[in-house]
Amino acid sequence: TEVQTTRVDGNFNWTLVRVYSDAGVAGTGEAYWGSGVTDLVEEAASRIVGENPCDIDRLYTEMVRGLSAQGSIGGAAVTAISGIEMALHDLAGKLLGVPAYQLLGGKYRDEVRVYVDCHAGAHSTEDTAGAYSPEAYADAAAAVAAEGYDALKFDLDTREESDEYSRHLSPDDIAYMESLVAATTERVEADVAFDCHWNYSGDSARRLAAAVEEYDVWWLEDPIPPENHDVQREVTRGTTTTICAGENLYRDHGVRQLIEEQGVDIIQPDMPRVGGMGETVRIAEMADTYYLPMALHNVSTPLGTVAGAHVAAASPNFLAIEYHSRELDWWADVVEEDVMTEGRLDVPDEPGLGVTLDREVVAANLLDGETLFDPAPEA
Ligand code: MG
């Protein structure tokens, strides 16, 4: 009957989406953050009001078709559609009395592995002079591992001396990055991934990947820009270091070439951005036909993160989902349930997503000018 949004001032501008029905039930989802997403949610919603919310895949297709003028091949229009699609899984699950993973074909696993986005440097110390030293990285890794996490990720593109526009890494740049990888992987038992945020040329990426081959790198993420999949394929095939990419891509079509040409070793879509829960399982299954694992990029609230856990449960080749709010002490309070323990997410068995927003916490942290959406009727 209606779709409303509420934006929360978290460590990102979290965008919550609620779909109301005339059956006395509402479903709640989350779209990846970004300007214009709430307007695009409103536009997408206009395409599905009056429809049966249980026809999730058809409504997804209707929204993609309906928003062609707003760019539904990729970008914020797909992000907005993703938030509605997630809310439809919550709503349909509640209407049918089944958990969302059941709508996705059922589960392969009961708990979902989490990896933690970590920072040495300015995020974790006042001492910016030594903040990006190998010792600072190793200390930060040890501190996070001591909290019970066994999978971590660090930024590797922190050196300001690099000429960012040439995308070129000097031998000295690579030696410095290798020293960060060496110190971190040697200090902790955990799996450790390293993110390069699309910064380097193919040649630089190949030399960097070669330089870290001798360490226990879980994966090297986005060493080159995200657009040219021919270069991505050559980088991946040129090294034994595991290469991961995908968070900047949209819809199944956006990842098809990378998967078919084995241009990555791990595909990593962002579920509330790439097209939503059903689209992400379709991507997982496409990747699985090439025996490629899938990780999930994730910067969501606990609600969007648990939606990711349903997708993870329903995807055979799932590896781990990101947790990007370790330094925000009220992240877990956004929902009433305890969703994460010891670096693992439970997969709820309650209908829909199985989590309930804490309205007081959401209301206390709204972005300026935002209003809290209407309560969900009791199911
Ligand atoms: Mg990344």
Side-chain angles (χ1 to χ4, degrees), residues 153 195 197-198 221-222 247 268 297:
K153 185 167 84 181
D195 195 347
H197 298 101
W198 323 282
E221 181 169 319
D222 287 319
E247 71 183 70
Q268 182 170 232
H297 181 260

Side-chain angles (χ1 to χ4, degrees), residues 29-339:
E30 178 172 358
Y32 187 89
W33 66 282
S35 323
V37 172
T38 53
D39 285 346
L40 290 161
V41 166
E42 194 175 327
E43 180 68 30
S46 72
R47 311 292 169 155
I48 62 167
V49 167
E51 298 279 0
N52 178 352
C54 295
D55 290 336
I56 301 170
D57 291 351
R58 182 175 65 80
L59 300 192
Y60 172 78
T61 302
E62 284 294 329
M63 292 188 284
V64 169
R65 288 180 177 179
L67 267 64
S68 61
Q70 285 79 24
S72 55
I73 287 176
V78 181
T79 297
I81 291 167
S82 304
I84 295 178
E85 198 262 13
M86 191 194 298
L88 289 172
H89 277 89
D90 189 37
L91 175 53
K94 286 171 174 166
L95 289 168
L96 299 168
V98 295
Y101 67 76
Q102 209 71 65
L103 302 173
L104 300 168
K107 62 181 172 179
Y108 287 88
R109 52 189 69 81
D110 294 322
E111 62 172 28
V112 167
R113 192 181 188 196
V114 172
Y115 77 84
V116 190
D117 180 75
C118 307
H119 297 278
H123 289 273
S124 62
T125 174
E126 304 289 297
D127 173 23
T128 51
Y132 295 126
S133 68
E135 294 71 29
Y137 269 65
D139 290 348
V144 178
E147 292 174 16
Y149 298 103
D150 62 5
L152 321 176
K153 185 167 84 181
F154 281 87
D155 296 344
L156 201 54
D157 55 325
T158 50
R159 194 183 216 192
E160 291 175 4
E161 293 86 344
S162 300
D163 180 346
E164 60 180 305
Y165 298 112
S166 76
R167 303 194 181 96
H168 183 73
L169 287 170
S170 69
D172 191 53
D173 289 332
I174 288 179
Y176 165 70
M177 295 162 89
E178 180 184 346
S179 74
L180 298 180
V181 170
T184 311
T185 56
E186 285 166 7
R187 179 75 71 86
V188 293
E189 291 295 313
D191 287 325
V192 189
F194 295 91
D195 195 347
C196 300
H197 298 101
W198 323 282
N199 275 314
Y200 308 123
S201 67
D203 160 67
S204 293
R206 276 191 295 275
R207 289 185 291 115
L208 172 61
V212 300
E213 280 179 354
E214 64 184 284
Y215 305 99
D216 293 329
V217 174
W218 197 21
W219 70 67
L220 189 65
E221 181 169 319
D222 287 319
I224 67 157
E227 302 93 346
N228 191 321
H229 296 179
D230 295 328
V231 180
Q232 181 69 63
R233 178 191 62 229
E234 296 307 311
V235 168
T236 299
R237 291 186 180 183
T239 180
T240 58
T241 297
T242 301
I243 303 293
C244 175
E247 71 183 70
N248 259 354
L249 301 176
Y250 295 87
R251 298 181 49 216
D252 50 359
H253 289 281
V255 301
R256 181 187 60 80
Q257 186 191 349
L258 273 187
I259 290 171
E260 288 184 349
E261 297 185 354
Q262 299 169 69
V264 288
D265 297 307
I266 298 169
I267 190 79
Q268 182 170 232
D270 187 298
M271 185 272 286
R273 178 180 187 181
V274 76
M277 298 175 73
E279 189 76 341
T280 304
V281 172
R282 287 188 285 274
I283 288 168
E285 289 172 346
M286 192 198 311
D288 197 46
T289 65
Y290 289 85
Y291 319 130
L292 296 176
M294 177 183 73
L296 289 175
H297 181 260
N298 177 55
V299 299
S300 306
T301 69
L303 184 134
T305 302
V306 168
H310 284 274
V311 168
S315 301
N317 48 347
F318 168 78
L319 208 55
I321 183 172
E322 185 168 9
Y323 169 48
H324 208 296
S325 301
R326 179 177 157 270
E327 284 140 355
L328 188 74
D329 60 11
W330 53 274
W331 179 85
D333 302 334
V334 172
V335 297
E336 294 177 1
E337 297 79 5
D338 291 327
V339 299

